[in-house]
Amino acid sequence: MSSRPKKHSLTLRGHRTSVSLEDDFWDAFREIAAAEDRAINDLAAEIDETRGEDCGLASAIRLFVLRRLRGR
């Protein structure tokens, strides 16, 4: 297990961005997207649209994954 975040590129509504997450969060995020039969970029775009201005995209994805795993 890697505790250091790794950068991955995402395309959100036609714009490229990079997000740094730990491997476990990337794995869980991909699993959630697959379980919902959604592209990871689409799910990330939805998270990006609903996050507050005071929350970065990486943090918003981590919180999304945590809430899903907790069943919220």
Side-chain angles (χ1 to χ4, degrees):
M1 177 174 88
S2 172
S3 61
R4 299 191 90 180
K6 291 185 182 173
K7 276 191 179 183
H8 290 263
S9 294
L10 296 172
T11 302
L12 308 179
R13 296 172 305 283
H15 299 282
R16 299 285 287 171
T17 190
S18 58
V19 177
S20 297
L21 295 173
E22 297 77 8
D23 287 341
D24 288 341
F25 279 104
W26 279 118
D27 293 343
F29 190 43
R30 286 188 188 104
E31 289 171 11
I32 292 166
E36 295 183 3
D37 197 28
R38 298 182 67 183
I40 197 165
N41 287 326
D42 293 337
L43 189 52
E46 181 180 305
I47 293 167
D48 186 46
E49 289 173 5
T50 60
R51 69 184 172 97
E53 290 184 22
D54 60 335
C55 184
L57 182 56
S59 294
I61 291 172
R62 284 186 190 94
L63 291 171
F64 171 83
V65 168
L66 179 63
R67 289 177 182 136
R68 281 297 170 94
L69 294 177
R70 286 184 167 174
R72 296 185 194 171

Short mmCIF file of all heavy atoms in Angstrom, two decimals:
data_model
loop_
_atom_site.label_atom_id
_atom_site.label_comp_id
_atom_site.label_asym_id
_atom_site.label_seq_id
_atom_site.Cartn_x
_atom_site.Cartn_y
_atom_site.Cartn_z
N MET A 1 0.83 -1.18 0.00
CA MET A 1 0.00 0.00 0.00
C MET A 1 0.89 1.25 0.00
O MET A 1 1.84 1.34 0.75
CB MET A 1 -0.89 -0.02 1.24
CG MET A 1 -1.75 1.21 1.35
SD MET A 1 -2.92 1.15 2.71
CE MET A 1 -1.94 1.79 4.03
N SER A 2 0.53 2.16 -0.85
CA SER A 2 1.27 3.42 -0.92
C SER A 2 0.50 4.49 -0.17
O SER A 2 -0.68 4.69 -0.38
CB SER A 2 1.45 3.84 -2.38
OG SER A 2 1.99 5.13 -2.43
N SER A 3 1.17 5.17 0.74
CA SER A 3 0.52 6.23 1.49
C SER A 3 0.72 7.59 0.83
O SER A 3 0.11 8.57 1.23
CB SER A 3 1.02 6.27 2.93
OG SER A 3 2.41 6.53 2.94
N ARG A 4 1.57 7.63 -0.19
CA ARG A 4 1.81 8.88 -0.89
C ARG A 4 0.79 9.06 -2.00
O ARG A 4 0.53 8.14 -2.76
CB ARG A 4 3.21 8.89 -1.49
CG ARG A 4 4.28 8.77 -0.41
CD ARG A 4 5.59 9.04 -0.98
NE ARG A 4 5.78 10.49 -0.81
CZ ARG A 4 6.85 11.14 -1.21
NH1 ARG A 4 7.81 10.51 -1.82
NH2 ARG A 4 6.97 12.41 -1.00
N PRO A 5 0.22 10.23 -2.11
CA PRO A 5 -0.74 10.47 -3.20
C PRO A 5 -0.06 10.37 -4.57
O PRO A 5 1.11 10.72 -4.71
CB PRO A 5 -1.22 11.90 -2.94
CG PRO A 5 -0.91 12.17 -1.51
CD PRO A 5 0.32 11.36 -1.20
N LYS A 6 -0.81 9.86 -5.53
CA LYS A 6 -0.34 9.79 -6.91
C LYS A 6 -1.26 10.62 -7.79
O LYS A 6 -2.47 10.58 -7.63
CB LYS A 6 -0.34 8.34 -7.40
CG LYS A 6 0.70 7.49 -6.74
CD LYS A 6 0.71 6.11 -7.35
CE LYS A 6 1.73 5.24 -6.63
NZ LYS A 6 1.65 3.85 -7.08
N LYS A 7 -0.64 11.34 -8.72
CA LYS A 7 -1.41 12.17 -9.64
C LYS A 7 -2.00 11.33 -10.75
O LYS A 7 -1.33 10.45 -11.30
CB LYS A 7 -0.54 13.26 -10.25
CG LYS A 7 -0.39 14.46 -9.41
CD LYS A 7 0.24 15.58 -10.19
CE LYS A 7 0.34 16.77 -9.27
NZ LYS A 7 0.88 17.93 -9.93
N HIS A 8 -3.25 11.62 -11.06
CA HIS A 8 -3.93 11.02 -12.21
C HIS A 8 -4.64 12.15 -12.94
O HIS A 8 -5.15 13.08 -12.33
CB HIS A 8 -4.97 9.99 -11.76
CG HIS A 8 -4.35 8.75 -11.18
ND1 HIS A 8 -4.15 7.62 -11.92
CD2 HIS A 8 -3.90 8.48 -9.94
CE1 HIS A 8 -3.61 6.69 -11.15
NE2 HIS A 8 -3.43 7.20 -9.94
N SER A 9 -4.71 12.03 -14.25
CA SER A 9 -5.40 13.02 -15.05
C SER A 9 -6.87 12.64 -15.21
O SER A 9 -7.20 11.47 -15.40
CB SER A 9 -4.76 13.14 -16.43
OG SER A 9 -3.46 13.66 -16.32
N LEU A 10 -7.71 13.63 -15.13
CA LEU A 10 -9.14 13.47 -15.35
C LEU A 10 -9.58 14.53 -16.34
O LEU A 10 -8.96 15.59 -16.44
CB LEU A 10 -9.92 13.65 -14.04
CG LEU A 10 -9.67 12.65 -12.92
CD1 LEU A 10 -10.37 13.12 -11.64
CD2 LEU A 10 -10.17 11.28 -13.32
N THR A 11 -10.67 14.24 -17.03
CA THR A 11 -11.27 15.22 -17.92
C THR A 11 -12.65 15.54 -17.38
O THR A 11 -13.51 14.67 -17.31
CB THR A 11 -11.36 14.69 -19.36
OG1 THR A 11 -10.05 14.35 -19.82
CG2 THR A 11 -11.95 15.73 -20.30
N LEU A 12 -12.83 16.78 -16.95
CA LEU A 12 -14.10 17.22 -16.38
C LEU A 12 -14.75 18.22 -17.32
O LEU A 12 -14.24 19.32 -17.50
CB LEU A 12 -13.88 17.86 -15.01
CG LEU A 12 -13.07 17.06 -14.00
CD1 LEU A 12 -12.92 17.84 -12.71
CD2 LEU A 12 -13.70 15.72 -13.74
N ARG A 13 -15.84 17.80 -17.94
CA ARG A 13 -16.57 18.66 -18.88
C ARG A 13 -15.65 19.26 -19.95
O ARG A 13 -15.70 20.45 -20.24
CB ARG A 13 -17.33 19.74 -18.12
CG ARG A 13 -18.41 19.17 -17.21
CD ARG A 13 -19.04 20.19 -16.31
NE ARG A 13 -18.14 20.95 -15.46
CZ ARG A 13 -17.57 20.48 -14.34
NH1 ARG A 13 -17.80 19.27 -13.95
NH2 ARG A 13 -16.77 21.24 -13.63
N GLY A 14 -14.78 18.42 -20.48
CA GLY A 14 -13.89 18.83 -21.56
C GLY A 14 -12.58 19.47 -21.13
O GLY A 14 -11.76 19.81 -21.98
N HIS A 15 -12.37 19.65 -19.86
CA HIS A 15 -11.15 20.27 -19.35
C HIS A 15 -10.31 19.25 -18.59
O HIS A 15 -10.82 18.55 -17.72
CB HIS A 15 -11.47 21.46 -18.44
CG HIS A 15 -12.22 22.53 -19.13
ND1 HIS A 15 -11.61 23.43 -19.98
CD2 HIS A 15 -13.53 22.85 -19.13
CE1 HIS A 15 -12.52 24.26 -20.47
NE2 HIS A 15 -13.70 23.93 -19.97
N ARG A 16 -9.03 19.19 -18.91
CA ARG A 16 -8.11 18.27 -18.23
C ARG A 16 -7.69 18.86 -16.90
O ARG A 16 -7.44 20.06 -16.79
CB ARG A 16 -6.87 18.00 -19.09
CG ARG A 16 -7.12 17.36 -20.42
CD ARG A 16 -7.45 15.93 -20.34
NE ARG A 16 -6.25 15.15 -20.02
CZ ARG A 16 -6.29 13.87 -19.71
NH1 ARG A 16 -7.41 13.23 -19.68
NH2 ARG A 16 -5.19 13.22 -19.41
N THR A 17 -7.62 18.00 -15.91
CA THR A 17 -7.11 18.39 -14.60
C THR A 17 -6.41 17.18 -14.00
O THR A 17 -6.60 16.05 -14.47
CB THR A 17 -8.24 18.90 -13.67
OG1 THR A 17 -7.67 19.47 -12.50
CG2 THR A 17 -9.21 17.79 -13.30
N SER A 18 -5.59 17.40 -13.02
CA SER A 18 -4.96 16.27 -12.34
C SER A 18 -5.34 16.31 -10.88
O SER A 18 -5.53 17.37 -10.29
CB SER A 18 -3.43 16.30 -12.51
OG SER A 18 -2.90 17.49 -12.01
N VAL A 19 -5.50 15.11 -10.33
CA VAL A 19 -5.91 14.95 -8.94
C VAL A 19 -4.95 13.98 -8.29
O VAL A 19 -4.62 12.94 -8.85
CB VAL A 19 -7.36 14.41 -8.85
CG1 VAL A 19 -7.76 14.18 -7.41
CG2 VAL A 19 -8.32 15.37 -9.52
N SER A 20 -4.50 14.32 -7.10
CA SER A 20 -3.60 13.45 -6.34
C SER A 20 -4.37 12.75 -5.23
O SER A 20 -4.93 13.42 -4.36
CB SER A 20 -2.45 14.26 -5.75
OG SER A 20 -1.66 14.83 -6.76
N LEU A 21 -4.39 11.42 -5.30
CA LEU A 21 -5.03 10.59 -4.27
C LEU A 21 -4.15 9.40 -3.97
O LEU A 21 -3.40 8.93 -4.83
CB LEU A 21 -6.39 10.07 -4.76
CG LEU A 21 -7.51 11.05 -5.02
CD1 LEU A 21 -8.69 10.34 -5.66
CD2 LEU A 21 -7.93 11.74 -3.75
N GLU A 22 -4.29 8.86 -2.79
CA GLU A 22 -3.60 7.64 -2.40
C GLU A 22 -4.20 6.47 -3.19
O GLU A 22 -5.35 6.51 -3.60
CB GLU A 22 -3.75 7.41 -0.89
CG GLU A 22 -3.12 8.48 -0.03
CD GLU A 22 -3.93 9.77 0.07
OE1 GLU A 22 -5.09 9.83 -0.40
OE2 GLU A 22 -3.38 10.74 0.62
N ASP A 23 -3.39 5.42 -3.38
CA ASP A 23 -3.83 4.26 -4.17
C ASP A 23 -5.15 3.68 -3.68
O ASP A 23 -6.02 3.33 -4.49
CB ASP A 23 -2.78 3.15 -4.14
CG ASP A 23 -1.55 3.46 -4.99
OD1 ASP A 23 -1.65 4.35 -5.88
OD2 ASP A 23 -0.52 2.82 -4.78
N ASP A 24 -5.33 3.58 -2.37
CA ASP A 24 -6.57 3.01 -1.83
C ASP A 24 -7.78 3.84 -2.23
O ASP A 24 -8.85 3.29 -2.51
CB ASP A 24 -6.50 2.86 -0.32
CG ASP A 24 -5.57 1.75 0.12
OD1 ASP A 24 -5.25 0.86 -0.72
OD2 ASP A 24 -5.16 1.75 1.29
N PHE A 25 -7.65 5.15 -2.24
CA PHE A 25 -8.76 6.00 -2.65
C PHE A 25 -9.03 5.87 -4.15
O PHE A 25 -10.18 5.82 -4.58
CB PHE A 25 -8.52 7.46 -2.27
CG PHE A 25 -8.85 7.74 -0.83
CD1 PHE A 25 -7.83 7.89 0.09
CD2 PHE A 25 -10.16 7.84 -0.39
CE1 PHE A 25 -8.12 8.15 1.43
CE2 PHE A 25 -10.46 8.09 0.94
CZ PHE A 25 -9.44 8.24 1.85
N TRP A 26 -7.95 5.79 -4.96
CA TRP A 26 -8.16 5.59 -6.40
C TRP A 26 -8.88 4.27 -6.65
O TRP A 26 -9.82 4.20 -7.45
CB TRP A 26 -6.83 5.59 -7.16
CG TRP A 26 -6.29 6.95 -7.44
CD1 TRP A 26 -5.12 7.49 -7.00
CD2 TRP A 26 -6.91 7.99 -8.23
NE1 TRP A 26 -4.99 8.77 -7.45
CE2 TRP A 26 -6.06 9.10 -8.21
CE3 TRP A 26 -8.11 8.07 -8.94
CZ2 TRP A 26 -6.37 10.28 -8.87
CZ3 TRP A 26 -8.41 9.25 -9.59
CH2 TRP A 26 -7.55 10.34 -9.57
N ASP A 27 -8.44 3.22 -5.98
CA ASP A 27 -9.06 1.90 -6.15
C ASP A 27 -10.53 1.94 -5.78
O ASP A 27 -11.39 1.44 -6.52
CB ASP A 27 -8.33 0.84 -5.34
CG ASP A 27 -6.92 0.56 -5.83
OD1 ASP A 27 -6.59 0.93 -6.98
OD2 ASP A 27 -6.13 -0.03 -5.05
N ALA A 28 -10.84 2.51 -4.63
CA ALA A 28 -12.23 2.58 -4.17
C ALA A 28 -13.07 3.45 -5.10
O ALA A 28 -14.22 3.12 -5.42
CB ALA A 28 -12.29 3.10 -2.74
N PHE A 29 -12.51 4.55 -5.57
CA PHE A 29 -13.22 5.45 -6.48
C PHE A 29 -13.55 4.72 -7.79
O PHE A 29 -14.68 4.80 -8.28
CB PHE A 29 -12.37 6.70 -6.72
CG PHE A 29 -13.09 7.81 -7.44
CD1 PHE A 29 -14.39 8.16 -7.12
CD2 PHE A 29 -12.43 8.53 -8.42
CE1 PHE A 29 -15.03 9.20 -7.78
CE2 PHE A 29 -13.05 9.57 -9.08
CZ PHE A 29 -14.36 9.90 -8.77
N ARG A 30 -12.60 3.98 -8.31
CA ARG A 30 -12.84 3.20 -9.53
C ARG A 30 -13.91 2.13 -9.31
O ARG A 30 -14.75 1.89 -10.16
CB ARG A 30 -11.55 2.55 -10.01
CG ARG A 30 -10.59 3.52 -10.65
CD ARG A 30 -9.40 2.77 -11.27
NE ARG A 30 -8.40 3.69 -11.70
CZ ARG A 30 -7.27 3.94 -11.07
NH1 ARG A 30 -6.98 3.30 -9.95
NH2 ARG A 30 -6.40 4.81 -11.54
N GLU A 31 -13.85 1.47 -8.15
CA GLU A 31 -14.84 0.42 -7.84
C GLU A 31 -16.24 1.01 -7.75
O GLU A 31 -17.20 0.40 -8.23
CB GLU A 31 -14.48 -0.27 -6.53
CG GLU A 31 -13.26 -1.15 -6.63
CD GLU A 31 -12.77 -1.65 -5.27
OE1 GLU A 31 -13.48 -1.48 -4.26
OE2 GLU A 31 -11.66 -2.20 -5.23
N ILE A 32 -16.38 2.16 -7.13
CA ILE A 32 -17.69 2.82 -7.03
C ILE A 32 -18.20 3.18 -8.41
O ILE A 32 -19.37 2.93 -8.74
CB ILE A 32 -17.61 4.05 -6.11
CG1 ILE A 32 -17.35 3.63 -4.66
CG2 ILE A 32 -18.89 4.89 -6.21
CD1 ILE A 32 -16.94 4.77 -3.75
N ALA A 33 -17.35 3.76 -9.24
CA ALA A 33 -17.76 4.12 -10.61
C ALA A 33 -18.19 2.88 -11.39
O ALA A 33 -19.21 2.90 -12.07
CB ALA A 33 -16.62 4.85 -11.33
N ALA A 34 -17.43 1.81 -11.28
CA ALA A 34 -17.76 0.57 -12.00
C ALA A 34 -19.08 -0.01 -11.49
O ALA A 34 -19.91 -0.47 -12.29
CB ALA A 34 -16.64 -0.45 -11.84
N ALA A 35 -19.30 0.02 -10.18
CA ALA A 35 -20.54 -0.52 -9.61
C ALA A 35 -21.75 0.27 -10.09
O ALA A 35 -22.85 -0.29 -10.20
CB ALA A 35 -20.46 -0.50 -8.08
N GLU A 36 -21.56 1.54 -10.38
CA GLU A 36 -22.64 2.40 -10.87
C GLU A 36 -22.68 2.44 -12.39
O GLU A 36 -23.48 3.18 -12.96
CB GLU A 36 -22.49 3.81 -10.30
CG GLU A 36 -22.66 3.86 -8.80
CD GLU A 36 -22.59 5.27 -8.25
OE1 GLU A 36 -22.47 6.23 -9.03
OE2 GLU A 36 -22.66 5.40 -7.01
N ASP A 37 -21.79 1.67 -13.03
CA ASP A 37 -21.69 1.63 -14.50
C ASP A 37 -21.50 3.05 -15.06
O ASP A 37 -22.16 3.46 -16.00
CB ASP A 37 -22.92 0.97 -15.10
CG ASP A 37 -22.67 0.54 -16.54
OD1 ASP A 37 -21.51 0.26 -16.90
OD2 ASP A 37 -23.65 0.49 -17.32
N ARG A 38 -20.57 3.77 -14.44
CA ARG A 38 -20.29 5.15 -14.85
C ARG A 38 -18.81 5.29 -15.14
O ARG A 38 -17.98 4.61 -14.55
CB ARG A 38 -20.66 6.12 -13.73
CG ARG A 38 -22.14 6.10 -13.40
CD ARG A 38 -22.48 7.07 -12.34
NE ARG A 38 -22.29 8.45 -12.83
CZ ARG A 38 -22.46 9.51 -12.07
NH1 ARG A 38 -22.81 9.38 -10.81
NH2 ARG A 38 -22.27 10.71 -12.54
N ALA A 39 -18.51 6.23 -16.01
CA ALA A 39 -17.11 6.56 -16.27
C ALA A 39 -16.58 7.36 -15.08
O ALA A 39 -17.30 8.18 -14.50
CB ALA A 39 -16.99 7.38 -17.55
N ILE A 40 -15.34 7.13 -14.74
CA ILE A 40 -14.75 7.83 -13.59
C ILE A 40 -14.72 9.33 -13.83
O ILE A 40 -14.92 10.12 -12.90
CB ILE A 40 -13.34 7.25 -13.27
CG1 ILE A 40 -12.92 7.66 -11.87
CG2 ILE A 40 -12.33 7.62 -14.30
CD1 ILE A 40 -11.76 6.90 -11.32
N ASN A 41 -14.52 9.77 -15.06
CA ASN A 41 -14.53 11.20 -15.36
C ASN A 41 -15.91 11.81 -15.11
O ASN A 41 -16.01 12.94 -14.62
CB ASN A 41 -14.11 11.45 -16.81
CG ASN A 41 -12.63 11.25 -17.03
OD1 ASN A 41 -11.82 11.51 -16.15
ND2 ASN A 41 -12.27 10.76 -18.20
N ASP A 42 -16.96 11.08 -15.45
CA ASP A 42 -18.32 11.59 -15.22
C ASP A 42 -18.61 11.71 -13.73
O ASP A 42 -19.20 12.70 -13.28
CB ASP A 42 -19.36 10.68 -15.88
CG ASP A 42 -19.27 10.71 -17.40
OD1 ASP A 42 -18.76 11.71 -17.95
OD2 ASP A 42 -19.73 9.75 -18.02
N LEU A 43 -18.21 10.71 -12.97
CA LEU A 43 -18.42 10.74 -11.53
C LEU A 43 -17.62 11.87 -10.89
O LEU A 43 -18.11 12.61 -10.04
CB LEU A 43 -18.05 9.40 -10.91
CG LEU A 43 -18.40 9.17 -9.45
CD1 LEU A 43 -19.87 9.47 -9.16
CD2 LEU A 43 -18.06 7.75 -9.05
N ALA A 44 -16.38 12.04 -11.34
CA ALA A 44 -15.54 13.14 -10.82
C ALA A 44 -16.14 14.50 -11.18
O ALA A 44 -16.11 15.42 -10.36
CB ALA A 44 -14.12 13.02 -11.37
N ALA A 45 -16.71 14.63 -12.37
CA ALA A 45 -17.34 15.89 -12.77
C ALA A 45 -18.54 16.19 -11.89
O ALA A 45 -18.75 17.35 -11.49
CB ALA A 45 -17.75 15.83 -14.24
N GLU A 46 -19.32 15.17 -11.54
CA GLU A 46 -20.47 15.37 -10.66
C GLU A 46 -20.01 15.82 -9.27
O GLU A 46 -20.59 16.73 -8.68
CB GLU A 46 -21.27 14.08 -10.54
CG GLU A 46 -22.49 14.21 -9.66
CD GLU A 46 -23.25 12.91 -9.57
OE1 GLU A 46 -23.62 12.37 -10.63
OE2 GLU A 46 -23.46 12.43 -8.45
N ILE A 47 -18.97 15.19 -8.77
CA ILE A 47 -18.42 15.57 -7.46
C ILE A 47 -17.91 17.01 -7.52
O ILE A 47 -18.14 17.80 -6.60
CB ILE A 47 -17.31 14.60 -7.03
CG1 ILE A 47 -17.91 13.22 -6.75
CG2 ILE A 47 -16.55 15.12 -5.82
CD1 ILE A 47 -16.88 12.11 -6.63
N ASP A 48 -17.24 17.34 -8.61
CA ASP A 48 -16.69 18.69 -8.78
C ASP A 48 -17.79 19.74 -8.77
O ASP A 48 -17.65 20.80 -8.17
CB ASP A 48 -15.89 18.75 -10.08
CG ASP A 48 -15.17 20.07 -10.26
OD1 ASP A 48 -14.53 20.53 -9.29
OD2 ASP A 48 -15.25 20.63 -11.36
N GLU A 49 -18.92 19.43 -9.41
CA GLU A 49 -20.04 20.38 -9.49
C GLU A 49 -20.70 20.61 -8.14
O GLU A 49 -21.22 21.69 -7.88
CB GLU A 49 -21.09 19.87 -10.48
CG GLU A 49 -20.65 19.94 -11.91
CD GLU A 49 -21.63 19.28 -12.85
OE1 GLU A 49 -22.72 18.84 -12.40
OE2 GLU A 49 -21.33 19.19 -14.04
N THR A 50 -20.67 19.60 -7.27
CA THR A 50 -21.40 19.71 -6.00
C THR A 50 -20.52 20.10 -4.82
O THR A 50 -21.04 20.38 -3.74
CB THR A 50 -22.11 18.38 -5.67
OG1 THR A 50 -21.15 17.33 -5.57
CG2 THR A 50 -23.12 18.03 -6.75
N ARG A 51 -19.21 20.13 -5.02
CA ARG A 51 -18.32 20.47 -3.89
C ARG A 51 -18.38 21.97 -3.64
O ARG A 51 -18.66 22.76 -4.53
CB ARG A 51 -16.89 20.04 -4.16
CG ARG A 51 -16.20 20.82 -5.25
CD ARG A 51 -14.80 20.28 -5.52
NE ARG A 51 -14.22 20.90 -6.68
CZ ARG A 51 -13.39 21.92 -6.65
NH1 ARG A 51 -13.03 22.45 -5.50
NH2 ARG A 51 -12.90 22.42 -7.76
N GLY A 52 -18.12 22.35 -2.44
CA GLY A 52 -18.07 23.76 -2.09
C GLY A 52 -16.78 24.40 -2.55
O GLY A 52 -15.80 23.70 -2.86
N GLU A 53 -16.75 25.70 -2.57
CA GLU A 53 -15.55 26.42 -3.00
C GLU A 53 -14.40 26.25 -2.02
O GLU A 53 -13.25 26.44 -2.38
CB GLU A 53 -15.86 27.91 -3.17
CG GLU A 53 -16.74 28.19 -4.37
CD GLU A 53 -16.95 29.67 -4.57
OE1 GLU A 53 -16.13 30.48 -4.08
OE2 GLU A 53 -17.93 30.03 -5.22
N ASP A 54 -14.71 25.90 -0.80
CA ASP A 54 -13.67 25.74 0.22
C ASP A 54 -13.12 24.32 0.28
O ASP A 54 -12.32 24.01 1.16
CB ASP A 54 -14.21 26.16 1.59
CG ASP A 54 -15.40 25.32 2.03
OD1 ASP A 54 -16.09 24.77 1.15
OD2 ASP A 54 -15.64 25.22 3.24
N CYS A 55 -13.53 23.47 -0.65
CA CYS A 55 -13.09 22.07 -0.67
C CYS A 55 -12.45 21.76 -2.01
O CYS A 55 -13.06 21.95 -3.06
CB CYS A 55 -14.29 21.16 -0.43
SG CYS A 55 -13.87 19.41 -0.31
N GLY A 56 -11.20 21.29 -1.98
CA GLY A 56 -10.52 20.92 -3.21
C GLY A 56 -11.10 19.64 -3.79
O GLY A 56 -11.77 18.86 -3.09
N LEU A 57 -10.85 19.39 -5.06
CA LEU A 57 -11.41 18.21 -5.72
C LEU A 57 -10.91 16.92 -5.09
O LEU A 57 -11.68 16.00 -4.88
CB LEU A 57 -11.10 18.24 -7.22
CG LEU A 57 -11.66 17.08 -8.03
CD1 LEU A 57 -13.17 16.95 -7.86
CD2 LEU A 57 -11.28 17.23 -9.50
N ALA A 58 -9.63 16.83 -4.78
CA ALA A 58 -9.10 15.61 -4.17
C ALA A 58 -9.78 15.34 -2.83
O ALA A 58 -10.19 14.20 -2.55
CB ALA A 58 -7.59 15.71 -3.98
N SER A 59 -9.95 16.35 -2.02
CA SER A 59 -10.63 16.18 -0.74
C SER A 59 -12.08 15.79 -0.96
O SER A 59 -12.62 14.93 -0.24
CB SER A 59 -10.58 17.47 0.08
OG SER A 59 -9.26 17.77 0.45
N ALA A 60 -12.74 16.39 -1.93
CA ALA A 60 -14.14 16.06 -2.21
C ALA A 60 -14.28 14.60 -2.64
O ALA A 60 -15.23 13.92 -2.25
CB ALA A 60 -14.69 17.00 -3.29
N ILE A 61 -13.33 14.10 -3.43
CA ILE A 61 -13.36 12.70 -3.85
C ILE A 61 -13.13 11.79 -2.65
O ILE A 61 -13.83 10.78 -2.48
CB ILE A 61 -12.34 12.42 -4.97
CG1 ILE A 61 -12.78 13.14 -6.26
CG2 ILE A 61 -12.19 10.93 -5.21
CD1 ILE A 61 -11.75 13.11 -7.38
N ARG A 62 -12.18 12.13 -1.80
CA ARG A 62 -11.94 11.32 -0.59
C ARG A 62 -13.20 11.25 0.28
O ARG A 62 -13.56 10.18 0.77
CB ARG A 62 -10.79 11.90 0.22
CG ARG A 62 -9.42 11.63 -0.34
CD ARG A 62 -8.35 12.12 0.63
NE ARG A 62 -7.05 12.10 0.03
CZ ARG A 62 -6.48 13.14 -0.59
NH1 ARG A 62 -7.10 14.30 -0.65
NH2 ARG A 62 -5.28 13.02 -1.11
N LEU A 63 -13.85 12.39 0.48
CA LEU A 63 -15.07 12.42 1.29
C LEU A 63 -16.19 11.61 0.63
O LEU A 63 -16.94 10.90 1.31
CB LEU A 63 -15.52 13.86 1.53
CG LEU A 63 -14.61 14.66 2.45
CD1 LEU A 63 -15.01 16.13 2.44
CD2 LEU A 63 -14.64 14.10 3.86
N PHE A 64 -16.31 11.71 -0.69
CA PHE A 64 -17.30 10.93 -1.43
C PHE A 64 -17.07 9.43 -1.21
O PHE A 64 -18.01 8.69 -0.89
CB PHE A 64 -17.21 11.28 -2.92
CG PHE A 64 -18.03 10.39 -3.80
CD1 PHE A 64 -19.38 10.64 -3.99
CD2 PHE A 64 -17.45 9.31 -4.44
CE1 PHE A 64 -20.13 9.80 -4.80
CE2 PHE A 64 -18.20 8.47 -5.24
CZ PHE A 64 -19.55 8.72 -5.43
N VAL A 65 -15.84 9.00 -1.37
CA VAL A 65 -15.50 7.58 -1.18
C VAL A 65 -15.80 7.15 0.25
O VAL A 65 -16.42 6.11 0.48
CB VAL A 65 -14.01 7.32 -1.55
CG1 VAL A 65 -13.57 5.95 -1.08
CG2 VAL A 65 -13.80 7.48 -3.05
N LEU A 66 -15.38 7.95 1.22
CA LEU A 66 -15.61 7.62 2.62
C LEU A 66 -17.11 7.48 2.91
O LEU A 66 -17.55 6.52 3.55
CB LEU A 66 -14.99 8.68 3.52
CG LEU A 66 -15.16 8.49 5.01
CD1 LEU A 66 -14.49 7.21 5.48
CD2 LEU A 66 -14.60 9.69 5.76
N ARG A 67 -17.88 8.43 2.43
CA ARG A 67 -19.34 8.38 2.67
C ARG A 67 -19.97 7.17 2.00
O ARG A 67 -20.86 6.54 2.59
CB ARG A 67 -19.99 9.68 2.18
CG ARG A 67 -19.63 10.85 3.07
CD ARG A 67 -20.21 12.15 2.55
NE ARG A 67 -19.80 13.24 3.42
CZ ARG A 67 -19.36 14.40 2.99
NH1 ARG A 67 -19.27 14.66 1.69
NH2 ARG A 67 -19.00 15.33 3.85
N ARG A 68 -19.54 6.83 0.81
CA ARG A 68 -20.07 5.66 0.13
C ARG A 68 -19.74 4.38 0.89
O ARG A 68 -20.57 3.50 1.05
CB ARG A 68 -19.53 5.55 -1.29
CG ARG A 68 -20.21 6.46 -2.25
CD ARG A 68 -21.69 6.07 -2.37
NE ARG A 68 -22.41 7.04 -3.10
CZ ARG A 68 -22.66 7.00 -4.40
NH1 ARG A 68 -22.25 5.97 -5.09
NH2 ARG A 68 -23.30 7.97 -4.98
N LEU A 69 -18.51 4.29 1.36
CA LEU A 69 -18.11 3.09 2.09
C LEU A 69 -18.80 2.97 3.44
O LEU A 69 -18.99 1.87 3.95
CB LEU A 69 -16.59 3.06 2.25
CG LEU A 69 -15.81 2.91 0.94
CD1 LEU A 69 -14.31 2.97 1.20
CD2 LEU A 69 -16.18 1.60 0.25
N ARG A 70 -19.18 4.11 3.99
CA ARG A 70 -19.94 4.10 5.25
C ARG A 70 -21.43 3.92 5.03
O ARG A 70 -22.19 3.85 5.99
CB ARG A 70 -19.70 5.40 6.01
CG ARG A 70 -18.34 5.48 6.63
CD ARG A 70 -18.22 6.74 7.44
NE ARG A 70 -17.06 6.71 8.29
CZ ARG A 70 -16.65 7.72 9.02
NH1 ARG A 70 -17.32 8.86 8.99
NH2 ARG A 70 -15.59 7.61 9.77
N GLY A 71 -21.85 3.92 3.76
CA GLY A 71 -23.25 3.71 3.45
C GLY A 71 -24.12 4.92 3.53
O GLY A 71 -25.33 4.83 3.68
N ARG A 72 -23.55 6.10 3.40
CA ARG A 72 -24.33 7.35 3.46
C ARG A 72 -24.65 7.85 2.07
O ARG A 72 -23.93 7.85 1.18
CB ARG A 72 -23.56 8.42 4.22
CG ARG A 72 -23.35 8.07 5.64
CD ARG A 72 -22.69 9.23 6.34
NE ARG A 72 -22.18 8.80 7.62
CZ ARG A 72 -21.40 9.53 8.36
NH1 ARG A 72 -21.05 10.72 7.97
NH2 ARG A 72 -20.97 9.10 9.51
#
